[in-house]
Amino acid sequence: MFSVPNSELQKVQSRLEQELFERVIPFWERHSLDSTYGGYFNCLDEDGSVYDTTKHIWLQGRQAWMFAKLYETVQPEQRWLDIARLGIDFLRNHAITENHRVYFATDREGKGIQIQRKIFSECFYVMALNQFGKVSGESIYQQEARQLLEHIWNWSKDLSLVGQVAYPGVPPSQGLAVPMILLNVFEEIAGPNWSDYESEITTCITEILQHIDSDRKIVFETVGPNGEFIDTIDGRMLNPGHAIEAGWFLQHWAQILNDSSLQQLAFDMVDWSFERGWDQEFGGLYYFLDSEGRPPTPLEWNMKLWWPHTEALYAWALNYKLRRKESDWEHFTTTLKYSFKHFSDPVHGEWYGYLNREGVRTHRFKGGPYKGCFHVPRGLLYTLQCLKEIGKGVV
Amino acid sequence: MFSVPNSELQKVQSRLEQELFERVIPFWERHSLDSTYGGYFNCLDEDGSVYDTTKHIWLQGRQAWMFAKLYETVQPEQRWLDIARLGIDFLRNHAITENHRVYFATDREGKGIQIQRKIFSECFYVMALNQFGKVSGESIYQQEARQLLEHIWNWSKDLSLVGQVAYPGVPPSQGLAVPMILLNVFEEIAGPNWSDYESEITTCITEILQHIDSDRKIVFETVGPNGEFIDTIDGRMLNPGHAIEAGWFLQHWAQILNDSSLQQLAFDMVDWSFERGWDQEFGGLYYFLDSEGRPPTPLEWNMKLWWPHTEALYAWALNYKLRRKESDWEHFTTTLKYSFKHFSDPVHGEWYGYLNREGVRTHRFKGGPYKGCFHVPRGLLYTLQCLKEIGKGVV
């Protein structure tokens, strides 16, 4: 068992606290609030100026969740609760349709722009309402969240209900994203009182585990109905950041359920995905890889994006907390150094989001259609909480 | 008036002939033919090996068109006609549905995988059938092409007919892609005998011209119903390669219609888009820019892709042929040098498709879901034909 010197732990903790509370959260507090129409501006340039007023609902939900989480876990700042409410009101007034679908985007005033044939807008809506209800003490929010979650669960079992078309040439398959996001939603909604959702949670865990090939030490994004390998572009695709995030979602459940074999599988997901996904030449986590070394086709396959790094940061802190391996701390430090060197912006705050393989920044904005107030503050907050527990000797 | 020395013209011509007939066409002849199920493998690794057997229909149509065009304009090689027929039979047997929609992709055997809410699969299907009918002398193909074109035209005027949803928050707008691709289809179908499609062609040209802001020397991808500027991510988006391609599509019609003011606008589209789109620091054409210097959000905005360069190559050769400006030839040479240095593969043939801003290759494959046997051979063939005419003194 390896033990990080307390002085090092303290140093890292201070660095993360400074980043989260002086550079990241203030950026969103200063620049994102739409006091006229409610909700948040999420398309923000590097200096925080608004370059598009579209409201992307994943990010509205995630930001409302984030501020309610800060209120709950850091300190009950009224300002944070007000910011959360700004998003919650916008979501409830504008983002949801009569059919319980949630828009992917609305215009500034809240008129719908797009609905995806996916269920993730709904998931982040549920997470936001639930967390806000938890801290505001108003029960209506958690009731609404649980009601919508029931729809989401039904849709997730038959995606034709949200408009996905089953064409004759598409072989049956299952993706990692749906069970993994749902498992995180159940953690938020149910937490340790998980018996209300026992069968759903078991289903999600079973489905996630079908993506793991333990012989080859690979986590696949897409597999057949029984976990079979599919030899196509999609079937061979690996998304190391996603698998690492799924790893810590699963680890949280391994702890709640006190299941040691699940704990080991969750460790494996992180170990293998980081090992395979880290670029030995230039550093950073690749976005996509092909399991057989075939050429990946997505535009961003070898780019380094912010969120796989925030997920890896927390996953290594968590794993170190649970098993105290020296290599966990080394990987944590490697991820931390790379992230702070390449993504952090000490001038304007928040993190940049996109680098090329070599680590040169390719995109200037801090907020865009898929990047908002979520992965950076959540990763920093969770890591901080974890380091504090390590310092206290909590396992 | 500037005149390129004949020796230089000859040298470039030989280089392009070698590229087209020894490196590009043989690559597809050797690696892409599916003699078992018909059609073409279009997901080909750098050495031509097949890494996915999905058949992307844009590329099936475009390859069939390309081989029929080679048969018509280079020499009547039976092999080329047979290759075209392999694609045509697959398209007619598998790619089209009862409702006249054309799949975006099928599996290897031809079972449908995806239909887009766009009309481009249909456009490339029409181009392929028409060109094949022209060279095979069998009238059924051109009849079918014209019938489908009628459907496409109707859909293009009301995209809800192909499933696009009009959400309340989306302001009315028009894109460059639809009128520009249709104008090229009409050139193929009608050519100089354009009176059958006079009103459609006039509409396409009018719509394309609404994307030009002559005061600011900008060609926008998306504008309001009367050409108004839209101040959003999409409204500010410029796609220099697309505007250059639209420039030479329009130039062909300026010549057919003998319209000198249209000719000037087509020159302008190429001049302005190249000037604005060429990366002065690292060379190559940016993929997307924001007209107001705001941060572009697409992943590939500063990447250098193969097709804007093949389009620029031909556009500059054409402009030089028509107006003999020294700067046209300089831009032609700049584009040629950059393209051959970065995209060409003398070892395996065909061109690589994707570079980062700095010119480092990011993707290894030669064929993928959006890259097939089309832009490289079409660009080289048209440029070659143009250089021959320049050599003969044709204007």
Side-chain angles (χ1 to χ4, degrees):
Chain A
M1 205 173 98
F2 169 78
S3 189
V4 187
N6 239 318
S7 60
E8 189 179 339
L9 214 50
Q10 283 297 329
K11 224 179 76 184
V12 174
Q13 224 171 284
S14 307
R15 183 78 186 79
L16 294 180
E17 273 170 355
Q18 182 194 37
E19 192 72 12
L20 178 59
F21 298 116
E22 295 175 26
R23 293 178 177 169
V24 173
I25 293 302
F27 179 89
W28 299 101
E29 290 177 323
R30 263 181 223 133
H31 304 297
S32 73
L33 312 182
D34 185 355
S35 53
T36 308
Y37 292 101
Y40 317 112
F41 298 116
N42 62 270
C43 290
L44 300 179
D45 208 340
E46 67 179 336
D47 64 356
S49 60
V50 178
Y51 65 88
D52 192 296
T53 57
T54 300
K55 286 170 179 156
H56 296 88
I57 301 303
W58 288 22
L59 307 177
Q60 304 292 314
R62 285 168 154 186
Q63 180 162 347
W65 174 88
M66 190 69 233
F67 277 91
K69 188 63 103 180
L70 289 169
Y71 181 89
E72 181 196 24
T73 61
V74 179
Q75 54 195 11
E77 290 267 12
Q78 184 60 41
R79 184 174 86 254
W80 287 343
L81 194 64
D82 295 343
I83 291 175
R85 192 185 295 275
L86 190 69
I88 294 295
D89 288 347
F90 186 87
L91 286 169
R92 292 176 73 229
N93 291 334
H94 303 295
I96 193 157
T97 73
E98 281 178 9
N99 304 321
H100 318 288
R101 292 301 319 273
V102 173
Y103 285 110
F104 175 73
T106 72
D107 69 2
R108 184 179 173 189
E109 296 174 36
K111 293 198 293 292
I113 285 179
Q114 188 187 345
I115 291 179
Q116 287 189 312
R117 293 185 267 194
K118 297 175 179 173
I119 58 171
F120 303 119
S121 294
E122 288 80 1
C123 287
F124 303 127
Y125 184 102
V126 162
M127 281 176 65
L129 258 65
N130 175 71
Q131 178 64 26
F132 185 75
K134 210 164 151 187
V135 297
S136 71
E138 297 160 72
S139 61
I140 178 75
Y141 299 104
Q142 282 174 301
Q143 277 165 32
E144 285 181 11
R146 283 177 174 246
Q147 280 158 13
L148 181 54
L149 182 54
E150 214 168 301
H151 291 290
I152 296 175
W153 182 256
N154 293 333
W155 297 333
S156 79
K157 295 297 143 216
D158 178 6
L159 290 166
S160 74
L161 297 170
V162 293
Q164 291 195 16
V165 187
Y167 289 108
V170 183
S173 68
Q174 49 173 338
L176 181 60
V178 168
M180 123 184 202
I181 295 292
L182 284 173
L183 191 64
N184 185 236
V185 173
F186 287 121
E187 182 188 343
E188 289 288 321
I189 292 270
N193 310 309
W194 51 275
S195 54
D196 287 2
Y197 292 104
E198 188 172 356
S199 99
E200 288 87 345
I201 290 163
T202 309
T203 303
C204 288
I205 292 174
T206 308
E207 286 175 5
I208 290 172
L209 296 182
Q210 287 180 326
H211 292 257
I212 305 177
D213 180 338
S214 292
D215 295 334
R216 295 186 61 200
K217 304 188 173 182
I218 298 183
V219 184
F220 289 101
E221 271 296 295
T222 306
V223 292
N226 300 303
E228 308 91 327
F229 173 63
I230 302 174
D231 192 6
T232 62
I233 291 174
D234 291 339
R236 294 187 305 260
M237 178 183 289
L238 314 180
N239 181 333
H242 219 204
I244 289 168
E245 188 178 14
W248 74 250
F249 287 179
L250 203 63
Q251 190 62 268
H252 282 196
W253 279 102
Q255 301 306 308
I256 294 168
L257 303 173
N258 198 18
D259 180 333
S260 62
S261 74
L262 198 57
Q263 168 168 304
Q264 185 54 49
L265 284 164
F267 283 142
D268 292 341
M269 286 180 81
V270 176
D271 289 343
W272 299 340
S273 301
F274 191 86
E275 170 73 22
R276 197 177 278 268
W278 190 262
D279 180 348
Q280 294 301 330
E281 194 173 347
F282 295 102
L285 285 163
Y286 287 112
Y287 201 77
F288 291 117
L289 291 170
D290 183 287
S291 66
E292 315 304 305
R294 290 305 208 157
T297 58
L299 285 163
E300 68 273 44
W301 84 268
N302 70 1
M303 288 174 72
K304 311 294 165 63
L305 270 64
W306 82 106
W307 70 261
H309 297 84
T310 62
E311 300 317 291
L313 196 69
Y314 172 57
W316 287 123
L318 177 64
N319 286 3
Y320 176 71
K321 187 184 90 172
L322 294 171
R323 62 179 177 181
R324 307 280 165 140
K325 277 178 70 172
E326 187 168 5
S327 58
D328 291 341
W329 190 255
E330 284 169 2
H331 291 326
F332 174 79
T333 308
T334 303
T335 308
L336 186 73
K337 279 190 184 156
Y338 183 90
S339 302
F340 274 72
K341 181 175 170 197
H342 288 89
F343 295 114
S344 173
D345 177 6
V347 179
H348 303 290
E350 240 298 308
W351 286 18
Y352 293 105
Y354 304 83
L355 318 172
N356 68 14
R357 184 186 167 197
E358 292 77 8
V360 178
R361 200 195 319 141
T362 55
H363 291 66
R364 193 180 71 195
F365 60 81
K366 297 285 173 46
Y370 293 93
K371 180 176 187 294
C373 176
F374 185 62
H375 281 104
V376 179
R378 182 182 72 172
L380 293 171
L381 177 67
Y382 281 15
T383 303
L384 261 171
Q385 292 170 343
C386 201
L387 296 184
K388 280 183 193 162
E389 290 171 2
I390 294 167
K392 288 182 198 149
V394 175
V395 178
Chain B
M1 205 173 98
F2 168 78
S3 189
V4 188
N6 239 316
S7 60
E8 189 178 339
L9 213 51
Q10 282 296 329
K11 224 178 78 185
V12 174
Q13 223 172 285
S14 308
R15 183 79 186 78
L16 295 180
E17 274 170 353
Q18 183 196 35
E19 193 72 10
L20 179 59
F21 298 116
E22 296 174 25
R23 292 176 176 170
V24 173
I25 293 303
F27 179 89
W28 299 101
E29 289 177 322
R30 263 182 223 132
H31 304 297
S32 73
L33 312 182
D34 184 355
S35 53
T36 308
Y37 293 101
Y40 318 113
F41 299 116
N42 62 270
C43 290
L44 301 178
D45 207 341
E46 66 178 337
D47 63 358
S49 59
V50 178
Y51 65 88
D52 193 295
T53 56
T54 300
K55 286 171 179 155
H56 296 88
I57 300 301
W58 288 23
L59 306 178
Q60 304 292 314
R62 286 168 153 187
Q63 181 162 348
W65 175 87
M66 191 69 231
F67 276 91
K69 189 62 105 181
L70 288 168
Y71 181 88
E72 181 197 22
T73 62
V74 179
Q75 54 195 14
E77 290 267 11
Q78 184 60 40
R79 185 175 85 253
W80 287 345
L81 193 65
D82 294 342
I83 292 175
R85 191 184 295 275
L86 190 71
I88 295 295
D89 288 348
F90 186 86
L91 287 168
R92 292 176 74 228
N93 291 334
H94 304 294
I96 193 157
T97 73
E98 280 178 10
N99 305 320
H100 317 288
R101 292 300 319 273
V102 173
Y103 285 111
F104 176 73
T106 72
D107 69 2
R108 183 178 175 190
E109 297 173 36
K111 293 197 294 290
I113 286 178
Q114 188 187 346
I115 291 180
Q116 288 189 312
R117 295 184 267 194
K118 297 176 180 173
I119 58 171
F120 302 120
S121 294
E122 288 80 0
C123 287
F124 303 128
Y125 184 102
V126 161
M127 281 176 65
L129 258 64
N130 175 71
Q131 179 64 26
F132 185 74
K134 212 164 148 188
V135 297
S136 71
E138 296 160 71
S139 61
I140 180 75
Y141 299 104
Q142 282 173 301
Q143 279 166 29
E144 285 181 13
R146 283 178 173 242
Q147 281 160 10
L148 181 54
L149 182 53
E150 215 168 300
H151 291 290
I152 296 175
W153 183 257
N154 293 334
W155 296 334
S156 79
K157 295 298 142 214
D158 177 5
L159 289 165
S160 74
L161 297 170
V162 293
Q164 291 194 15
V165 186
Y167 289 108
V170 182
S173 68
Q174 49 172 337
L176 182 60
V178 168
M180 126 184 199
I181 295 292
L182 284 173
L183 192 63
N184 184 237
V185 173
F186 288 121
E187 182 188 343
E188 289 288 321
I189 292 271
N193 310 309
W194 51 275
S195 53
D196 287 3
Y197 293 104
E198 188 172 353
S199 99
E200 288 87 345
I201 290 163
T202 308
T203 302
C204 289
I205 292 174
T206 307
E207 287 175 4
I208 291 172
L209 296 183
Q210 287 180 326
H211 292 257
I212 305 177
D213 181 337
S214 291
D215 294 335
R216 296 186 60 199
K217 303 188 173 182
I218 297 183
V219 184
F220 289 101
E221 271 296 295
T222 306
V223 291
N226 300 301
E228 307 92 325
F229 173 62
I230 302 174
D231 193 7
T232 63
I233 291 175
D234 291 338
R236 297 189 302 261
M237 178 184 289
L238 314 181
N239 182 332
H242 219 205
I244 289 167
E245 188 179 15
W248 75 250
F249 287 180
L250 204 63
Q251 191 61 267
H252 282 195
W253 279 102
Q255 302 305 309
I256 294 168
L257 304 173
N258 199 18
D259 180 333
S260 62
S261 74
L262 198 59
Q263 169 169 305
Q264 186 54 49
L265 284 163
F267 284 141
D268 291 342
M269 288 180 79
V270 176
D271 289 344
W272 298 340
S273 302
F274 191 87
E275 170 73 24
R276 196 177 278 269
W278 190 261
D279 180 349
Q280 293 301 330
E281 196 174 346
F282 295 101
L285 286 163
Y286 286 114
Y287 201 76
F288 291 116
L289 292 169
D290 182 288
S291 66
E292 316 303 305
R294 289 306 208 156
T297 57
L299 286 163
E300 69 273 45
W301 83 270
N302 70 1
M303 289 174 72
K304 312 292 167 62
L305 271 64
W306 82 107
W307 71 261
H309 297 83
T310 62
E311 300 317 290
L313 195 70
Y314 172 56
W316 288 123
L318 177 64
N319 287 4
Y320 176 70
K321 187 185 91 170
L322 295 171
R323 62 180 177 181
R324 307 283 164 137
K325 277 178 69 173
E326 188 168 3
S327 59
D328 291 340
W329 189 255
E330 284 169 4
H331 292 326
F332 173 79
T333 308
T334 302
T335 309
L336 185 73
K337 278 188 185 156
Y338 183 89
S339 302
F340 274 71
K341 181 175 169 196
H342 289 88
F343 295 114
S344 174
D345 177 5
V347 179
H348 303 290
E350 239 302 306
W351 286 18
Y352 293 106
Y354 304 81
L355 317 172
N356 68 12
R357 185 186 166 198
E358 292 78 8
V360 178
R361 200 193 320 141
T362 56
H363 291 65
R364 193 180 70 194
F365 61 80
K366 297 286 174 46
Y370 293 93
K371 181 176 187 292
C373 175
F374 185 62
H375 280 104
V376 180
R378 182 183 73 172
L380 293 172
L381 177 67
Y382 282 16
T383 304
L384 261 172
Q385 290 170 343
C386 201
L387 296 183
K388 280 184 193 163
E389 289 172 1
I390 293 167
K392 287 183 198 148
V394 176
V395 179

